[in-house]
Amino acid sequence: MAYRLSGIAWLACKPGFFLPVRVLSRLFRRLFLEQLQRAQQAGQLQFFGRLACARRRPSLRARASRALRQTDWVVYAKRPFAGPGAVLAYLSRYTHRIAIANSRLIAHDQRGVTFRCKDYRHKGRARYRSMTLATDEFIRRFLIHVLPTGFHRIRHYGLLASHVRRKNLALARQHLNAPVEQRSENDAEADEQHSCAFVCRTCGSPLRVLEIVQPEARAPP
């Protein structure tokens, strides 16, 4: 069920509003065909076999495009078997983890980096095997999963947008008569330790800045 916040009350949306299959199928069809047309205009499409003549016949491409627009595209969407928790656990593997876990790394020697991987072409125990890549190739594949500067892996918008999230959540809890979460001093200390960039390896306490000493200005020679 989806909801929206009007500022006065918490309004429930109509049934079937969230992820309507018919709307999704038409939206996907439109976006796919628009990108296909852009690739065609940029000369990025190649035709082979019986479709090789379509390169020289714009009327044939236009007729095929009309046929695709008149065809019903099917988007398969249904409720998860294990519930929303399983969906969040699945997404968290991609949003809150790096490309490869340290537990999968086996060795690093003159041959390269050896790690455990999954081969989906096989079934059973044969699916799990080890792979060795040259060090530079392993680094190249690893950096493919690193986002460029300025990009965010998760970006919140609407109700959970960063600049209005705290205000909207407080107002939503007020309209829903939800109990306010009581945080203890231990929780605050844990949050402070988690957010701190420097933590002592011996005692586990976060770094506390007591004073910042500015360097003395030296007289020019």
Side-chain angles (χ1 to χ4, degrees), residues 10-39:
W10 188 252
L11 305 178
C13 297
K14 297 179 180 180
F17 169 79
F18 187 61
L19 296 181
V21 177
R22 184 178 296 275
V23 176
L24 285 178
S25 61
R26 295 180 179 178
L27 176 62
F28 179 76
R29 179 181 61 185
R30 178 178 64 82
L31 295 177
F32 186 91
L33 293 179
E34 286 180 354
Q35 295 297 328
L36 188 65
Q37 185 177 3
R38 292 179 182 176

Side-chain angles (χ1 to χ4, degrees), residues 192-201 203-209:
E192 181 181 358
Q193 179 176 350
H194 179 72
S195 60
C196 183
F198 302 98
V199 179
C200 179
R201 298 181 180 179
C203 65
S205 300
L207 174 67
R208 298 180 181 273
V209 180

Side-chain angles (χ1 to χ4, degrees), residues 11 15 18 20 32 37 41 48 74 79 86 95 117 126 138 147 149 169 190 195 207 212 217:
L11 305 178
F18 187 61
F32 186 91
Q37 185 177 3
Q41 295 174 353
F48 303 95
V74 178
R79 294 181 178 274
T95 58
C117 62
F138 178 83
L147 293 178
T149 303
L169 290 180
S195 60
L207 174 67
I212 299 179

Side-chain angles (χ1 to χ4, degrees), residues 92-150:
S92 65
R93 301 187 188 104
Y94 297 91
T95 58
H96 290 76
R97 289 186 181 180
I98 197 60
I100 184 172
N102 293 336
S103 58
R104 292 174 54 191
L105 300 177
I106 299 176
H108 178 215
D109 49 26
Q110 293 79 6
R111 298 183 304 162
V113 180
T114 304
F115 57 94
R116 287 192 294 271
C117 62
K118 221 185 252 189
D119 190 353
Y120 291 94
R121 294 173 297 182
H122 298 84
K123 300 292 184 180
R125 295 183 178 180
R127 171 172 292 187
Y128 300 91
R129 63 187 185 89
S130 61
M131 176 185 294
T132 301
L133 294 176
T135 304
D136 55 348
E137 175 62 18
F138 178 83
I139 295 176
R140 186 190 70 83
R141 297 191 184 187
F142 183 86
L143 292 179
I144 292 177
H145 299 272
V146 178
L147 293 178
T149 303

Side-chain angles (χ1 to χ4, degrees), residues 14-81:
K14 297 179 180 180
F17 169 79
F18 187 61
L19 296 181
V21 177
R22 184 178 296 275
V23 176
L24 285 178
S25 61
R26 295 180 179 178
L27 176 62
F28 179 76
R29 179 181 61 185
R30 178 178 64 82
L31 295 177
F32 186 91
L33 293 179
E34 286 180 354
Q35 295 297 328
L36 188 65
Q37 185 177 3
R38 292 179 182 176
Q40 175 185 333
Q41 295 174 353
Q44 299 176 351
L45 290 183
Q46 298 183 9
F47 301 90
F48 303 95
R50 294 180 299 175
L51 299 178
C53 59
R55 183 183 308 173
R56 303 182 300 271
R57 297 177 57 183
S59 60
L60 182 60
R61 297 197 301 267
R63 186 165 64 250
S65 179
R66 287 195 300 269
L68 289 175
R69 284 186 171 85
Q70 295 173 359
T71 303
D72 289 334
W73 291 35
V74 178
V75 173
Y76 184 73
K78 67 176 183 180
R79 294 181 178 274
F81 291 109

